[in-house]
Amino acid sequence: LGEVALLPGLINAHCHLDYTRMAGRLKRPRHFTEWVREIIAAKAAWADADFADSWQSGAQMLVRTGTTAVGDIEAVPELLPAAWNATPLRVFSFLEMTGIGNRPSPRALLQAALDRIGRLKHPRSRAWLSPHAPYSTRPELLRLATSAARRRRWRITTHVAESVQEYEMFTQARGGMHAWLQRVGRSNRDCGLGSPVVHMDRFGALTSSLLAVHANCLSQGDAELLGRRCVHVVHCPRSHAYFRHPRFPFHELTDAGVNVSLATDSLASVVRSGRQPLELSLFEEMREFQRRFPKVAPGRILEMVTLHPARALGLPARLGELSPGAFADLIAVPVSSSRGSLYESIIHHTGGVRVSMIDGQWAIPPAD
Ligand SMILES: [Zn+2]
């Protein structure tokens, strides 16, 4: 293999593979709500085949750049299990549920997702639940989905406290997101009562099985609450930069004992830099994180795409490490001795990995 670092395959705890081909197509928004409305319109113009191509194109990017396991949000669950069969990736698909009106009821939405999951069987991949976000769901869905996941010992994921507009909506019952959602039929009776994190807790949705994605906008005490409830937080550095969110409270969260992972989010919220085509890559995310938090040791940054997401996905000792009993998911990354420490050199790797093995099979075989 030449001069390489042999590593456990990287784990991307939060992605939307089906939006990959929206890369660069949406106008960079002034406000988060603007972007949500744009992507809803863009999705309406796509057929299932577009989503399927987009999903596979994202999966290929992840394999090329060293990801071997992905936690993916499925807005189009009809793509499964065909999408799983067409990729070597280990996929944890979270079936997205949204709904702010009375029909379908939260109970019906959940039942439809459970029925679908019940029909999905695959040797490597599996499906769990994702109530989309506090603002895009009725609180009852958060409560029902959390208890359904708990009974089955499943992981569950939700976008939480992503934007200032979401934060304003829940803390003060005002702002652009609050007004828009009210116009389209959300009751908003659950707003004005505390932060999005407190909202999640009020409906029992903060548990050790939750991957809370983003957690950018926290009130005093929220980080400690997430820590007490053993919630896992997933931070998406390039998506964070795209939306110009307030500083990610990394130190507050880790001081509170929260397990923080890094992930790509979708390619629909990444800024193109120069002429390089946009690609899903955890190496890019590690570098963006390091730009924002230069004092965090490179070895610790690497843990946020290996050991930490393995814990978040409930598979410590199986994913994210090379050890007896772990899955045979591994990659080799070319390293150069010119760049300080080995970890520093790994983080600055660009392009594809030298080899990738997933579940004991070559996803990228060694060159002859
Ligand atoms: Zn997301």
Side-chain angles (χ1 to χ4, degrees):
L1 295 175
E3 199 176 350
V4 296
L6 195 59
L7 297 171
L10 308 184
I11 308 164
N12 185 4
H14 182 74
C15 190
H16 301 253
L17 288 170
D18 49 9
Y19 299 165
T20 303
R21 293 239 170 110
M22 298 217 178
R25 290 195 193 183
L26 305 183
K27 196 168 79 239
R28 194 171 179 194
R30 277 171 306 144
H31 302 293
F32 180 73
T33 308
E34 227 175 270
W35 182 88
V36 174
R37 294 167 68 165
E38 269 217 49
I39 196 158
I40 291 173
K43 280 164 72 174
W46 273 20
D48 278 6
D50 300 316
F51 286 105
D53 288 349
S54 190
W55 199 105
Q56 291 304 330
S57 138
Q60 283 160 15
M61 291 177 185
L62 288 182
V63 171
R64 192 180 99 82
T65 56
T67 291
T68 57
V70 60
D72 193 49
I73 305 293
E74 310 294 352
V76 189
E78 293 80 4
L79 303 183
L80 307 177
W84 291 344
N85 292 333
T87 178
L89 279 175
R90 192 183 292 286
V91 188
F92 302 92
S93 285
F94 291 96
L95 271 48
E96 181 176 276
M97 296 178 286
T98 57
I100 52 172
N102 291 329
R103 299 239 176 276
S105 68
R107 202 169 284 280
L109 268 174
L110 174 63
Q111 195 55 51
L114 292 173
D115 291 347
R116 186 175 292 279
I117 292 172
R119 293 193 299 272
L120 291 169
K121 290 276 176 296
H122 195 266
R124 198 172 54 246
S125 297
R126 57 168 311 159
W128 287 322
L129 300 167
S130 175
H132 174 260
Y135 63 84
S136 57
T137 54
R138 288 172 54 191
E140 186 67 357
L141 182 71
L142 298 174
R143 197 179 62 75
L144 290 172
T146 302
S147 75
R150 183 184 289 130
R151 278 198 300 280
R152 293 166 177 81
R153 299 169 151 267
W154 287 356
R155 272 0 209 192
I156 184 164
T157 195
T158 299
H159 301 82
V160 184
E162 178 169 8
S163 66
V164 171
Q165 293 200 319
E166 176 186 347
Y167 184 80
E168 267 188 320
M169 167 172 164
F170 283 99
T171 53
Q172 298 167 54
R174 67 169 202 217
M177 179 179 275
H178 183 270
W180 168 53
L181 289 171
Q182 187 126 318
R183 265 200 315 279
V184 296
R186 195 180 189 285
S187 92
N188 287 357
R189 278 195 299 268
D190 51 355
C191 298
L193 304 171
S195 69
V197 168
V198 166
H199 174 87
M200 292 286 286
D201 197 45
R202 189 174 304 122
F203 297 97
L206 297 186
T207 71
S208 59
S209 303
L210 176 69
L211 285 75
V213 183
H214 303 305
N216 295 321
C217 305
L218 303 183
S219 280
Q220 189 95 38
D222 279 358
E224 291 74 15
L225 179 57
L226 292 168
R228 273 201 305 286
R229 299 280 188 263
C230 301
V231 171
H232 308 270
V233 163
V234 182
H235 171 53
C236 305
R238 286 194 296 169
S239 169
H240 184 278
Y242 176 88
F243 289 114
R244 304 178 182 98
H245 292 310
R247 188 189 63 91
F248 174 63
F250 176 68
H251 297 293
E252 290 85 337
L253 288 165
T254 50
D255 287 352
V258 176
N259 176 40
V260 178
S261 304
L262 300 182
T264 61
D265 212 345
S266 87
L267 221 46
S269 54
V270 173
V271 185
R272 190 184 295 269
S273 60
R275 287 171 162 216
Q276 272 197 326
L278 290 172
E279 186 172 34
L280 291 167
S281 163
L282 284 170
F283 290 96
E284 297 277 1
E285 301 298 340
M286 287 192 279
R287 282 195 288 279
E288 178 64 28
F289 180 84
Q290 195 183 42
R291 269 193 287 279
R292 302 285 168 134
F293 297 95
K295 293 199 176 128
V296 178
R300 220 174 136 207
I301 298 177
L302 188 61
E303 288 179 358
M304 288 194 275
V305 294
T306 50
L307 293 170
H308 294 198
R311 267 170 62 202
L313 290 166
L315 289 162
R318 304 284 275 167
L319 284 178
E321 59 187 84
L322 297 179
S323 62
F327 293 135
D329 294 2
L330 54 95
I331 57 173
V333 178
V335 288
S336 78
S337 38
S338 63
R339 210 181 236 289
S341 78
L342 175 62
Y343 289 127
E344 191 68 36
S345 169
I346 291 168
I347 286 178
H348 284 88
H349 168 70
T350 53
V353 295
R354 187 73 53 86
V355 299
S356 169
M357 174 182 277
I358 303 174
D359 215 29
Q361 309 288 323
W362 290 119
I364 302 173
D368 290 327

